[in-house]
Amino acid sequence: MDVALELFVERGAAATPVTTIEAAAGLSPGSGSFYRHFKDKEALLAAVVEREVTRVGKDPDAQVENTDGAGEQRLATQLRSDLDYLGELRSLIMILLWERNRAPELAEWVRKTSADRGIELGVEALRLAGPSAAVEEDEVAAATVMQSAMIGYFLAAEYFGASPADVDPDRFTAALARLLTNRDA
Amino acid sequence: MDVALELFVERGAAATPVTTIEAAAGLSPGSGSFYRHFKDKEALLAAVVEREVTRVGKDPDAQVENTDGAGEQRLATQLRSDLDYLGELRSLIMILLWERNRAPELAEWVRKTSADRGIELGVEALRLAGPSAAVEEDEVAAATVMQSAMIGYFLAAEYFGASPADVDPDRFTAALARLLTNRDA
DNA sequence: GTCTATAATATGATAGAC
DNA sequence: GTCTATCATATTATAGAC
């Protein structure tokens, strides 16, 4: 399952022959030894995804409460922690990206358990940070901007293999927090 | 090429057998008639990508200048137009997403011709909009936030098949422009 | 639990008739 | 330019010995 996870993350399950999994696991490729462990590749994929879901926990908001400080600094710390959490979800995110069309129900599950919940938590975080007028005018839209920026930054970094525009995670989250708590005189 | 484009966008070229392309093009599946038109699937993919690149033009910034208005409204109009442009790039984006590992040089090309250039244009657009102190503190980081939010919103909408958090494109770009030009008293 | 062997199917690709 | 026919190879999957 460990080697399968890596292969599925990099190339997708569909593009990973069973023989390749066998070879990576130290089995004789083409021997069919794989089938003594899993019914077929689908079963392995399901097991791998389920293990990842369990590993990262069903509690993406565990870190929300124990952030200290207030205002912009508090939000920046929160966002930096969220970005690390996205990193923990990396394998899961990449696999779900590969499987996006084969399993529309998975996308729906992601939306309900992560995306929508993330917006709710985002609105809360913005309130705790002491929102600016620009945020208060449409809190949900502001939280959507925040979430979109985070996932967009994460995916761009993954895709390019480097920080977009050479803006590192600390600098990015600081800028995002600044924009969301902006109080120009 | 039309049917291949659609198939490649939805499932990726690797997951699209030549027989499927033949069938979709009205040819007898498995007949090999495909090979009278293209050397192999790779050649078709290259032709499809090249045609898309030509179609969308090498000028993503054509609409930059002729935006009227100023400040927040000007930026909102610009961002709304940019989001439409991402829509025009949809096929290309989705194909490049499928091929992300098979062609790292393509990712590099995307970064240099689109991502990095987009940041430069973003900085310009922010200056024209009359930047807030939060933007001026780190213009490149602010532009990165702007770009990340746009691509994150676009990809999330594609992935889920609906606007994230039910925030439609007008509302999203308005909120983003508001945050980037925020001038609370 | 792994191996050799093998079969069934899917896929990529070519030859030659029309 | 399309078809039938055909191959070679890749892939999935199973059977049975060890």
Side-chain angles (χ1 to χ4, degrees):
Chain A
M1 287 176 68
D2 291 339
V3 297
L5 174 68
E6 193 152 337
L7 289 165
F8 291 172
V9 166
E10 295 307 320
R11 331 162 52 177
T16 306
V18 171
T19 55
T20 300
I21 300 168
E22 286 174 327
L27 297 173
S28 178
S31 66
S33 288
F34 167 87
Y35 295 98
R36 298 281 177 173
H37 301 270
F38 297 94
K39 182 184 175 296
D40 53 23
K41 203 165 63 177
E42 271 317 297
L44 170 62
L45 174 60
V48 164
V49 167
E50 193 182 351
R51 193 183 65 164
E52 278 303 291
V53 169
T54 302
R55 185 180 67 73
V56 299
K58 48 189 167 187
D59 202 353
D61 31 319
Q63 311 110 306
V64 167
E65 313 302 342
N66 40 10
T67 308
D68 58 354
E72 179 185 328
Q73 188 49 55
R74 180 199 184 96
L75 185 59
T77 304
Q78 175 71 51
L79 292 175
R80 190 62 188 79
S81 159
D82 289 348
L83 200 54
D84 279 340
Y85 184 66
L86 280 182
E88 280 189 55
L89 295 181
R90 176 179 180 270
S91 297
L92 206 46
I93 290 172
M94 292 301 128
I95 290 179
L96 293 177
L97 216 47
W98 285 120
E99 306 302 321
R100 62 185 181 262
N101 285 328
R102 269 207 309 181
E105 71 281 2
L106 263 186
E108 186 58 17
W109 172 81
V110 170
R111 193 179 63 74
K112 282 196 285 205
T113 63
S114 297
D116 287 356
R117 179 85 183 112
I119 295 294
E120 291 175 30
L121 292 170
V123 169
E124 277 183 48
L126 286 172
R127 284 179 185 160
L128 283 171
S132 69
V135 169
E136 282 179 323
E137 189 166 329
D138 190 341
E139 285 182 316
V140 171
T144 303
V145 166
M146 182 167 76
Q147 187 180 67
S148 298
M150 293 287 282
I151 195 71
Y153 178 84
F154 177 79
L155 290 176
E158 280 292 323
Y159 186 81
F160 296 126
S163 295
D166 276 322
V167 174
D168 68 38
D170 286 337
R171 191 173 158 203
F172 176 80
T173 50
L176 182 52
R178 201 182 304 130
L179 290 166
L180 288 162
T181 55
N182 190 12
R183 277 185 198 68
D184 277 13
Chain B
M1 287 176 69
D2 291 339
V3 298
L5 175 67
E6 192 152 339
L7 288 165
F8 291 172
V9 166
E10 295 307 323
R11 329 162 52 178
T16 306
V18 171
T19 55
T20 300
I21 300 168
E22 287 174 328
L27 298 173
S28 177
S31 66
S33 288
F34 168 87
Y35 295 96
R36 298 281 176 172
H37 302 269
F38 297 93
K39 180 181 175 298
D40 53 23
K41 204 164 62 176
E42 269 321 293
L44 171 60
L45 174 60
V48 164
V49 167
E50 193 182 351
R51 193 182 65 164
E52 278 302 291
V53 169
T54 302
R55 187 182 64 75
V56 301
K58 48 191 167 187
D59 201 355
D61 32 320
Q63 311 110 308
V64 167
E65 315 301 341
N66 41 10
T67 307
D68 58 353
E72 178 186 328
Q73 188 51 53
R74 180 199 185 97
L75 185 59
T77 304
Q78 176 71 52
L79 291 175
R80 190 62 188 78
S81 159
D82 289 348
L83 201 52
D84 280 340
Y85 184 67
L86 280 182
E88 279 188 57
L89 295 181
R90 175 178 179 270
S91 297
L92 205 47
I93 292 172
M94 292 301 127
I95 290 179
L96 293 177
L97 215 47
W98 284 121
E99 307 301 321
R100 62 185 181 262
N101 285 328
R102 270 207 309 179
E105 71 282 2
L106 263 186
E108 187 57 18
W109 173 79
V110 170
R111 191 178 65 75
K112 282 195 286 206
T113 64
S114 298
D116 288 355
R117 178 85 184 112
I119 294 294
E120 291 174 30
L121 292 170
V123 169
E124 278 183 47
L126 286 171
R127 284 178 185 160
L128 282 171
S132 67
V135 169
E136 282 179 323
E137 188 167 330
D138 189 342
E139 286 181 317
V140 171
T144 303
V145 166
M146 183 167 76
Q147 187 180 67
S148 298
M150 294 287 282
I151 196 69
Y153 178 85
F154 176 79
L155 290 176
E158 280 292 322
Y159 185 82
F160 296 126
S163 295
D166 276 321
V167 174
D168 68 37
D170 286 337
R171 192 174 157 201
F172 177 80
T173 49
L176 182 52
R178 201 182 305 131
L179 290 167
L180 288 162
T181 55
N182 191 14
R183 278 184 198 70
D184 276 13

